[in-house]
Amino acid sequence: MFICATTNCFGELSLDQSLEKIADLEYSHVELMFHESNAYLKPSEVCQDLQGTAVRLKNLYRLIPGCFSVEITTEDTDEYVQQFIAICKLAKVMQVVTIALRSAPWGFPFNSEVERLRVCVDEAGKRGILVGLLTERGHLTEELETTKTLCKVIPGLHVTLDPSHFIFQQPESRRSYESILDKVCHVRLRDTRFDKFQVCVGQGELEFGKIIASLEQAHYQRGLSVDIQNENEMDVTQEMRKMRLLLESLL
């Protein structure tokens, strides 16, 4: 396993500034966030200028790209597919083998979500890339059984595990995710309590040692991505340093 950080940890900065901060904190890998809502790395812009984006990302301040996180907002199916294919082509050029995708929110037609994900898994698979569906409260993957069903009906679909969503406002009976560990291809981490999604490292309920031990038993060998957001006056730099040191001590 290797430790990385998302560029959203310093989302208020430019991409170059964010990468430089992550490198200064001695992270070895970075998860690049291709989100249409971000000020940079928008999927629509990547699709329009794939070569230009590749050139722009040549300087990652010694960081190794460990994963792409992709959020495409267009409702046009053809445009969605074209943007996703562009991201896959960029991932192959940059030797990234994992893409994290959000699942549809509750209420979205299940069959339509299956069709979308099948196309994504197929296009990514053609280029040797894994698609990991993010476990997320308020989305289809909040329910463990729904996540398992999606992985069953879509061969090749994997999971991006975010344990915080199994803690925040969840009863004890819904906090287990061991049954999907064999499908995990990427992991996002921060400390969390039942009543607060993000807290300082050590003040939450996540048992990081137990998480890593469970992943090791499942023969997981990919990234542990720190995703600490700048909110509630939290010192992101300090918390990211603490998280890196904690994870290193556990590996």
Side-chain angles (χ1 to χ4, degrees), residues 28-233:
S28 59
H29 292 68
V30 63
E31 180 178 352
L32 295 168
M33 314 298 270
F34 292 85
H35 296 182
E36 199 65 34
S37 59
N38 285 354
Y40 51 77
L41 298 182
K42 297 176 182 289
S44 60
E45 295 177 355
V46 175
C47 189
Q48 292 170 5
D49 188 11
L50 178 58
Q51 185 174 0
T53 304
V55 171
R56 182 184 177 194
L57 292 175
K58 278 189 174 181
N59 179 17
L60 292 179
Y61 295 86
R62 308 178 305 280
L63 294 167
I64 301 168
C67 179
F68 284 1
S69 174
V70 179
E71 290 184 16
I72 299 171
T73 59
T74 180
E75 295 182 1
D76 183 283
T77 301
D78 291 338
E79 180 62 25
Y80 185 100
V81 172
Q82 290 307 309
Q83 290 185 24
F84 186 78
I85 289 174
I87 297 291
C88 289
K89 288 179 178 178
L90 181 64
K92 185 173 182 179
V93 168
M94 297 182 67
Q95 299 181 323
V96 172
V97 297
T98 308
I99 287 178
L101 275 184
R102 298 177 81 179
S103 65
W106 280 118
F108 191 84
F110 184 81
N111 289 341
S112 297
E113 178 68 341
V114 169
E115 290 176 13
R116 176 184 77 98
L117 293 173
R118 275 185 176 148
V119 171
C120 290
V121 170
D122 181 54
E123 292 296 341
K126 291 175 184 177
R127 298 162 179 87
I129 299 165
L130 301 178
V131 173
L133 204 56
L134 180 66
T135 57
E136 186 175 11
R137 190 171 176 272
H139 290 246
L140 294 179
T141 49
E142 178 181 346
E143 289 284 353
L144 199 64
E145 288 305 315
T146 303
T147 304
K148 291 162 67 174
T149 298
L150 285 168
C151 289
K152 183 177 180 179
V153 300
I154 306 170
L157 180 64
H158 290 74
V159 173
T160 293
L161 175 65
D162 190 331
S164 292
H165 291 275
F166 292 91
I167 297 292
F168 180 60
Q169 297 185 353
Q170 296 286 9
E172 290 289 340
S173 60
R174 297 180 63 179
R175 292 191 173 193
S176 174
Y177 46 80
E178 279 72 16
S179 62
I180 60 171
L181 288 178
D182 63 322
K183 291 293 185 180
V184 173
C185 67
H186 187 60
V187 178
R188 288 215 192 120
L189 295 172
R190 73 194 64 72
D191 212 348
T192 302
R193 290 199 312 253
F194 173 83
D195 62 337
K196 197 169 184 180
F197 186 70
Q198 176 178 284
V199 297
C200 294
V201 178
Q203 295 182 7
E205 301 177 44
L206 256 69
E207 300 179 67
F208 295 101
K210 183 178 178 181
I211 292 170
I212 289 175
S214 297
L215 289 168
E216 287 177 340
Q217 288 181 353
H219 307 292
Y220 180 76
Q221 298 180 335
R222 299 182 186 276
L224 302 173
S225 189
V226 176
D227 187 35
I228 298 174
Q229 305 292 314
N230 183 10
E231 58 184 37
N232 299 324
E233 299 183 354

